[in-house]
Amino acid sequence: MKTLTAALSAAALLALAGCGGGGSGSADEGPVDLRMTIWSANAKHLALFDQIAAGYKKDHPEVGKITFEPIPFDSYTTTLTTQIGGGNVPDLAWIFESSAPDFVSSGALEPIDKDADLVPSTTANWEKDGKLYAYPFSTSPLGVFVNTDLVKAAGRPAPAEQIAAGTWTWDEAAKTAAAVQARGGKGGLVVGDFDYKGWDTLNAVWAGWGARPWSEDGKTCQFDQPAMADAMTFLHKLVFTDKGMPGPGVTKDFFAGDSGMILTQISRAALLEKAKFKWDLVPLPKGPAGDYSVVGQAGIGVFKRGKHADAAKQFLAYFTNAENSAKLAQFFPPPRKSQLNAATLGKANPLLKPAQLDSVVVQGIERGTIKPSHTGYAEIQQTVRASLDRLWKPDADVKAVLAGVCSKINPLLAK
Amino acid sequence: MTLLLEKPARAPAMTDKAPYWTMRRRDELAGWLMVAPQLAGIVAFVIVPLGLVVWYSLHEWNVLAGSFTFIGADNYAALADDQQLGPVLRATGLFSAGLVVLNLSLALFLAVLLNQKLRGTVVFRTLFFSPVVVTLVAWTIVWGFLLQDNGGVNAFLDVLGIDGPNWLRSGGTAMASVIVVQLFKNVGLNMVLFLAALQGVPAELYEAARIDGASAWARFRRVTVPLISPTILLTMILTIVGSLQVFAQIAVLTQGGPGTSTTVLVYYLYQQAFQFHHFGYGATLSLLLFLIVLVLTVVQWRMRRRWVFHEN
Amino acid sequence: MKTRPGMSPRLKVLLYGVLLVCCVPFVFPIWWMATTSLKPLSEIFAFPPSPLPGSPTLDAYRQVFELQPFGRQYLNSLYIAAVVTLGTLAVSALAGYAFARIRFRGAGIVFMIVLTGLLVPNEVTIIPLYRMFDTLGLVDTHWPLILIPMLGAPSVLATFIMRQFFITLPAELEEAGRVDGLGRFGLFWRICLPLARPAVGAVAIFTFLHSWNLYLEPIVFLSSKSKFTIPQALTQYVDAYGGPMWNTQLAAATLSALPVLIIFVLAQRQFVEGLAQTGLKG
């Protein structure tokens, strides 16, 4: 029975360690090492971050290592919370816009200084009680990339011409998409990262109908409202009747030249570097509710329970100051007024023409709305995904499915 | 745990009689020393963590806020009220039952085929076993491609003139797909175990049955199956336990959808704990999973006396 | 079975036919993975998919190594699996021998405690394990990936197989050893272990494959790219927005599978027969 006693005392010891809550918070004497979790594994991104970190260390001899720790995109929040739960709290972390309310409201983040240069619309998602809890380092408008070769071959006017003529609407975009797809083998319009699972990316479409998934205060579901029903009916028709959007389970990679248009973040322009087709970038088509634009965001926050919260705050301020922000702008559109002009952005995005930058990026960020978010987002996301699956069938009853979504998520929204 | 009732079959006679009590003592010490690393490992990496999970299950644990509040049995009450749990358990049962039945029958079928007097069975054996050595994630990613609506499987069916379904996107076929992907990945392992058992069946028994005029099927039923029943039991337990732990495949292929049709218990507890941040509730679900595995294993082990044939 | 008179040619053709058809779902995915990794991105989603790349390219393979220290990650996976295999063999052979052949007080309860390891999925204990290793300062090292499989739940199956094997050895063997003056460890090392080659083979295969396939633990415990293992590295071939880089992913998957497949084909006799002779008698 000796082992049993030993096991029990070990258990007790570990339980103590287990519920003590991680993060000792003691800033010891040694060099200050900082760690930032990120979801990009892109070598160019990492090289730039390392370069900025090296610049910082020159003036801050007390700082030892600054590591940027890439975590796979799909398991990012999961891994991050496991680390936090396990007591290994990173000093800084990238945060998805959809998890922003969870992180901001939990009190896990340290408030940071708000630069007056920041465009107000970009910080709204990251504030609570007038304090800013994360820096929105990437504010990337959504636009439509067009494979003009495919559109032309399908006998449709290029979207740029339609913009000039004032006829770039969702109905026209749907016609173009259907025409491209009808020629066989190619997809019409793809909504980036949607894949019939990430329904929240559809926000960039239904915002054109003035639809929202839930009310501004986040208390009531609005999937069953007429605007949403119209928008979803449009999408359902586009997929199953007009056949302008590759159906569920079908992949058509725009960047490989397999589809006519893709609605996605403009930063993906980088993937077109070696494209063998002619392409263009245009703003989102006009919806029944008029012109609109949507931006996708990501923030960087400092953890209160990290070992060196103060040092982390200082580093974040340096990492995102005007000078470095300009460098970061080549990958992540900046939230700063002073840098939101075609000239600055053009240097960083050589693939995009000034007109494209101005119409999509500058105006997009200034007017853009962001994707609605909510505390407990992951659970709501999953629940909506599960109920919406019934919509992606040819004979679906759109209104009934949407009403079903509401009955499922209303209890979650009320929490 | 009735596993323990089974005593070491033929323990050395000398220890039994143990003329010198010092020898017995030395054996005692040697026994403890030999199991010590394993025991220490199990205590440190299984028993203690399991105890901690029980402890967590009595708490509301918000990882982000760093709050850890004792809430007694609330998580267990939530378990009873959880409307999701019914469908989740049904999906789990469907997956495990489907996988076990298909896996064991296919493994046995292939093993019997390979046990025939044919040239080239080594080649086939290698081919059937090869997915076992492919990294699970790679295997799953590849099947994810193949099972797309415009993927390889449907292209293949197209050649045969069959219009394939949208495998991963409709309730029934999604579950079937996940089962089949797992089936082909691991069936080779059970096949080899069966092959070994088959080769251990004495040829004279078949001859005797043949002389008695038994048909091939009757010989299989009455001679082969009883003789290899211990292997059937072992592969069954391993496959059931394994099927209840399937995770990466679901995460890569369906993420529990469409609807919640492929949300099995492991995946559900992963969602609750890691995605929705309900660690306390996730811990409660893990205990439920542990209990299910435990009960199933014990039941099978108890039932073995009814149908497992023992040589002596 | 082998004594049966030769079967009719018609039956033979039928059997070969059945075997060939059965092969398809096992071979097709591997073959498809290898050929698709040679296709340029534009061909990957062509429908119907072409059986062979139209214009084969090694671009994807170059990217595999450019984007990550893939060679290093490969070595990580290999050496972790090797260490775990050796360690598990030592731990499980000793424990399996003791459970099978030594009657010591408490053996029953100890065996029961050990067997619970067979029943606990790793998702269940991952958070407490993470806390423990973090307390020891061993997060982002290979220690958790070595220690947990070697001593924890995954090693129980190995101990079980070893025990089942040692039980089948006749008692006379050890009696002879005793007469020669061997102690327990001597009996184990000199007499029983050399006979246990098939069981050792089976345990080695099970253990190696388990470690090689480990997915959840590396993702949770490791964070530096140079320490990643293969399954984890495979999921890292994505662009900055999590969009998978299809052909690179497939090229990496092929690289991760082919060498192991080749080793397996060469050594398959030992592999399969070792597994076959474990005396797994339930």
Side-chain angles (χ1 to χ4, degrees), chain A residues 178-243:
Chain A
V180 170
Q181 199 159 311
R183 287 175 47 85
K186 304 289 178 186
L189 171 79
V190 174
V191 177
D193 305 318
F194 168 46
D195 197 25
Y196 297 86
K197 289 178 191 146
W199 56 270
D200 41 4
T201 56
L202 295 179
N203 178 55
V205 179
W206 66 48
W209 275 255
R212 292 178 53 90
W214 42 78
S215 54
E216 295 272 359
D217 63 4
K219 295 257 192 289
T220 28
C221 169
Q222 293 193 341
F223 272 96
D224 53 1
Q225 298 298 302
M228 183 61 90
D230 290 348
M232 287 302 219
T233 307
F234 169 83
L235 278 166
H236 189 271
K237 193 164 151 279
L238 181 59
V239 178
F240 296 102
T241 315
D242 303 342
K243 302 208 186 299

Side-chain angles (χ1 to χ4, degrees), chain B residues 94-103 106 128 131-132 136 139-140 142-144 146-147 153 167-168 172-188 243 246 249-250 253-254 262, chain C residues 22 24-26 28-29:
Chain B
L94 202 62
F95 179 84
S96 294
L99 182 66
V100 170
V101 170
L102 287 177
N103 192 327
L106 183 62
F128 294 143
V132 176
L136 177 65
W139 180 256
T140 315
V142 168
W143 275 96
L146 290 176
L147 288 169
V153 171
W167 296 100
L168 296 173
T173 55
M175 178 54 93
S177 305
V178 178
I179 292 177
V180 165
V181 170
Q182 176 70 3
L183 171 70
F184 290 124
K185 171 80 174 77
N186 277 338
V187 74
S243 74
V246 68
Q249 299 85 321
I250 305 264
L253 287 177
T254 64
T262 56
Chain C
C22 288
V24 172
F26 294 89
F28 183 63

Side-chain angles (χ1 to χ4, degrees), chain B residues 12-301:
Chain B
M14 288 203 57
T15 39
D16 278 352
K17 292 173 201 151
Y20 310 110
W21 68 274
T22 48
M23 164 102 98
R24 167 153 269 214
R25 248 193 162 174
R26 259 188 275 150
D27 251 14
E28 189 96 339
L29 182 67
W32 276 99
L33 282 178
M34 283 175 157
V35 298
Q38 173 82 89
L39 181 64
I42 293 300
V43 168
F45 298 137
V46 178
I47 306 291
V48 170
L50 210 55
L52 287 174
V53 169
V54 174
W55 176 245
Y56 297 159
S57 76
L58 302 173
H59 291 78
E60 158 82 52
W61 182 4
N62 186 328
V63 170
L64 285 180
S67 64
F68 191 75
T69 335
F70 187 80
I71 54 164
D74 282 11
N75 280 324
Y76 294 87
L79 201 63
D81 291 340
D82 191 342
Q83 297 190 340
Q84 275 273 71
L85 201 59
V88 164
L89 290 178
R90 218 179 48 226
T92 313
L94 202 62
F95 179 84
S96 294
L99 182 66
V100 170
V101 170
L102 287 177
N103 192 327
L104 293 192
S105 11
L106 183 62
L108 193 52
F109 175 71
L110 293 176
V112 169
L113 272 184
L114 293 180
N115 200 33
Q116 306 302 315
K117 237 175 121 187
L118 276 180
R119 270 169 196 278
T121 46
V122 173
V123 175
F124 286 107
R125 193 173 67 184
T126 311
L127 291 178
F128 294 143
F129 195 79
S130 51
V132 176
V133 299
V134 173
T135 319
L136 177 65
V137 174
W139 180 256
T140 315
I141 289 175
V142 168
W143 275 96
F145 270 97
L146 290 176
L147 288 169
Q148 295 225 318
D149 201 19
N150 59 342
V153 171
N154 280 348
F156 187 77
L157 292 176
D158 216 34
V159 174
L160 303 177
I162 304 169
D163 187 20
N166 197 349
W167 296 100
L168 296 173
R169 300 296 174 138
S170 48
T173 55
M175 178 54 93
S177 305
V178 178
I179 292 177
V180 165
V181 170
Q182 176 70 3
L183 171 70
F184 290 124
K185 171 80 174 77
N186 277 338
V187 74
L189 210 52
N190 284 345
M191 174 197 78
V192 170
L193 294 176
F194 279 135
L195 200 53
L198 286 176
Q199 285 170 357
V201 176
E204 308 87 68
L205 285 179
Y206 286 109
E207 285 308 315
R210 193 197 294 272
I211 291 163
D212 288 350
S215 68
W217 175 246
R219 289 200 299 273
F220 179 73
R221 276 288 315 274
R222 307 242 181 81
V223 180
T224 315
V225 170
L227 281 177
I228 63 167
S229 54
T231 309
I232 299 183
L233 176 73
L234 179 83
T235 47
M236 192 146 107
I237 293 181
L238 291 181
T239 311
I240 290 183
V241 173
S243 74
L244 287 167
Q245 306 180 1
V246 68
F247 173 73
Q249 299 85 321
I250 305 264
V252 174
L253 287 177
T254 64
Q255 285 146 34
T260 53
S261 59
T262 56
T263 307
V264 297
L265 191 50
V266 166
Y267 194 72
Y268 184 55
L269 87 83
Y270 165 85
Q271 278 187 330
Q272 286 289 347
F274 295 96
Q275 294 190 316
F276 309 161
H277 311 320
H278 305 319
F279 273 103
Y281 190 55
T284 314
L285 286 170
S286 3
L287 290 176
L288 177 67
L289 177 62
F290 172 60
L291 217 67
I292 292 175
V293 180
L294 187 70
V295 167
L296 278 180
T297 312
V298 169
V299 166
Q300 285 180 76
W301 196 260

Side-chain angles (χ1 to χ4, degrees), chain B residues 1 3-4 6-16 23 27-28 30-35 37-39 41-42 44-47 49-50 52-53 56 61 106 109-110 113-119 122 124-139 141-143 145-146 148-152 155-156 158 184-185 187 189 192-193 196 203 206-207 210 219 230-231 234 238 241 245 247-248 266 269 274 279 286 289-290 293-294 297 301, chain C residues 1-4 7 12 15-16 18-20 22-30 32-33 44-45 47 49 91 94-95 97-105 108 110-121 123-129 131-133 147-148 151-153 155-157 159-160 163 167-168 171 174-175 178 184-185 188 206 209 212-213 215-216 231 234-235 246 249-250 253 256-257 260-261 264-265 268-269 271-273 275-276 280-282:
Chain B
M1 286 293 287
L3 285 169
L4 309 170
E6 197 197 35
K7 285 181 186 134
R10 281 169 242 158
M14 288 203 57
T15 39
D16 278 352
M23 164 102 98
D27 251 14
E28 189 96 339
W32 276 99
L33 282 178
M34 283 175 157
V35 298
Q38 173 82 89
L39 181 64
I42 293 300
F45 298 137
V46 178
I47 306 291
L50 210 55
L52 287 174
V53 169
Y56 297 159
W61 182 4
L106 183 62
F109 175 71
L110 293 176
L113 272 184
L114 293 180
N115 200 33
Q116 306 302 315
K117 237 175 121 187
L118 276 180
R119 270 169 196 278
V122 173
F124 286 107
R125 193 173 67 184
T126 311
L127 291 178
F128 294 143
F129 195 79
S130 51
V132 176
V133 299
V134 173
T135 319
L136 177 65
V137 174
W139 180 256
I141 289 175
V142 168
W143 275 96
F145 270 97
L146 290 176
Q148 295 225 318
D149 201 19
N150 59 342
F156 187 77
D158 216 34
F184 290 124
K185 171 80 174 77
V187 74
L189 210 52
V192 170
L193 294 176
Y206 286 109
E207 285 308 315
R210 193 197 294 272
R219 289 200 299 273
T231 309
L234 179 83
L238 291 181
V241 173
Q245 306 180 1
F247 173 73
V266 166
L269 87 83
F274 295 96
F279 273 103
S286 3
L289 177 62
F290 172 60
V293 180
L294 187 70
T297 312
W301 196 260
Chain C
M1 291 276 262
K2 305 256 165 179
T3 56
R4 189 186 297 181
M7 47 183 109
K12 267 193 186 171
L15 284 178
Y16 277 122
V18 173
L19 279 171
L20 277 175
C22 288
C23 272
V24 172
F26 294 89
V27 178
F28 183 63
I30 297 174
W32 185 87
M33 166 177 77
I44 288 187
F45 287 106
F47 191 85
V91 170
L94 280 169
Y97 174 83
F99 284 132
R101 307 208 70 95
I102 307 179
R103 290 201 171 162
F104 56 98
R105 254 180 305 157
V110 172
F111 191 53
M112 184 179 88
I113 292 174
V114 168
L115 278 183
T116 52
L118 211 51
L119 310 177
V120 181
E123 283 82 6
V124 171
T125 49
I126 192 77
I127 291 187
L129 286 175
R131 295 205 80 127
M132 286 162 60
F133 279 96
L147 289 179
I148 298 174
L151 297 168
S155 66
V156 175
L157 180 61
T159 298
F160 188 70
R163 171 183 180 270
I167 279 184
T168 63
E174 289 194 322
E175 280 161 28
R178 286 275 193 204
R184 265 299 164 192
F185 284 91
F188 166 73
F206 271 118
L209 291 176
W212 185 251
N213 277 330
Y215 177 63
L216 181 71
L234 287 183
T235 62
W246 307 107
Q249 230 172 41
L250 285 172
S256 78
V260 189
L261 272 180
F264 168 68
V265 168
Q268 65 94 21
R269 202 170 277 274
F271 251 52
V272 177
E273 272 152 31
L275 207 57
L280 284 171
K281 294 268 160 70

Side-chain angles (χ1 to χ4, degrees), chain A residues 18 41 69 72 85 88 267-268, chain C residues 130-131 134 223 225 236 240-241:
Chain A
E69 183 181 308
N88 179 25
S267 342
R268 301 258 173 122
Chain C
Y130 186 88
R131 295 205 80 127
D134 186 60
S223 46
K225 273 195 172 186
Q236 291 268 317
Y241 295 87

